[in-house]
Amino acid sequence: MHRTAIITGSANGIGKAIASRLVRDGYSVCINDIRSKAADIDAVVAELNATPSSDGRPKAISIPADVTSGTSVEAMIRETVDKLGPLTLMVANAGIAQTKPLFSATGEDVDKVFSVNVKGVFNCYTRAAQQMIAQGDPETAAGLRVYKILGAASIGGFRASAPLGVYCASKFAVRGLT
Ligand SMILES: NC(=O)c1ccc[n+]([C@@H]2O[C@H](COP(=O)([O-])OP(=O)(O)OC[C@H]3O[C@@H](n4cnc5c(N)ncnc54)[C@H](O)[C@@H]3O)[C@@H](O)[C@H]2O)c1
């Protein structure tokens, strides 16, 4: 069965590494990040498509989108399914870190970090699940479910540290959502 993944925040860092590994494992992937990183997204897509796939399908496509917007996440999922086929994996990797002791952090800092790290993950989890349910029962291989939804937490989601208070709270929330 052909497998398709969206990896948010994959223009660089851990997301790019996850996408590269998934392509090596035979997935077609959507490389997503914020619009201001369009050039980085395109560079990752070009790198992954450098060797063509055996079935002529693109190994990677580029979709800039802000995960804090539910409608943008829905549009990204629609476009991925149109271009690559049914969605089998969502990796909600996009996240922002902020090093600031709690007494220096502002309400705006809390909104900003929670908007990407919690609302963004919520948008990806719920929209991907709705898409997978609409697609119907997954095929199974060796008794394993084929549909998967993953999120990036952190060691900070298990053990908080003072300089990263708001970030750690958001990563505890990712574990709660998951
Ligand atoms: N690097 C680490 O040591 C570490 C440790 C634990 C957890 N994590 C988590 O792993 C994930 C990836 O970390 P990383 O180190 O690769 O970070 P990174 O900053 O290199 O990559 C994260 C990407 O997410 C993108 N992004 C930010 N806001 C977005 C939005 N609204 N919509 C779409 N994309 C958005 C960024 O532009 C960036 O390219 C994050 O969730 C991070 O919190 C990282």
Side-chain angles (χ1 to χ4, degrees):
M1 178 195 164
H2 185 71
R3 295 181 296 177
T4 298
I6 294 173
I7 307 97
T8 66
S10 50
N12 45 244
I14 295 171
K16 179 183 171 187
I18 293 170
S20 306
R21 171 59 193 265
L22 288 170
V23 165
R24 278 205 304 281
D25 286 352
Y27 278 82
S28 295
V29 297
C30 160
I31 302 299
N32 154 264
D33 213 293
I34 46 178
R35 236 161 249 292
S36 59
K37 291 206 173 167
D40 295 325
I41 300 175
D42 289 345
V44 176
V45 168
E47 195 179 315
L48 295 176
N49 284 327
T51 31
S53 63
S54 49
D55 61 4
R57 213 188 298 244
K59 288 182 176 175
I61 58 169
S62 134
I63 306 186
D66 182 341
V67 296
T68 66
S69 156
T71 50
S72 298
V73 171
E74 283 162 21
M76 170 170 67
I77 291 173
R78 262 198 314 277
E79 188 177 339
T80 301
V81 171
D82 285 349
K83 292 184 172 163
L84 300 178
L87 181 67
T88 44
L89 168 64
M90 167 64 82
V91 185
N93 164 77
I96 53 175
Q98 188 191 59
T99 309
K100 238 184 196 185
L102 276 191
F103 288 162
S104 316
T106 63
E108 279 172 7
D109 291 327
V110 176
D111 286 345
K112 193 172 153 200
V113 172
F114 271 70
S115 159
V116 179
N117 295 10
V118 183
K119 190 177 166 199
V121 171
F122 164 82
N123 287 336
C124 292
Y125 279 9
T126 53
R127 282 16 178 231
Q130 282 160 347
Q131 172 62 30
M132 289 166 179
I133 289 165
Q135 286 168 189
D137 286 342
E139 289 177 31
T140 58
L144 297 173
R145 279 191 177 279
V146 174
Y147 295 151
K148 292 178 185 148
I149 299 179
L150 308 176
S154 164
I155 189 66
F158 288 82
R159 185 173 178 162
S161 63
L164 291 164
V166 174
Y167 174 78
C168 292
S170 76
K171 292 300 187 178
F172 268 74
V174 169
R175 290 182 57 224
L177 272 174
T178 306

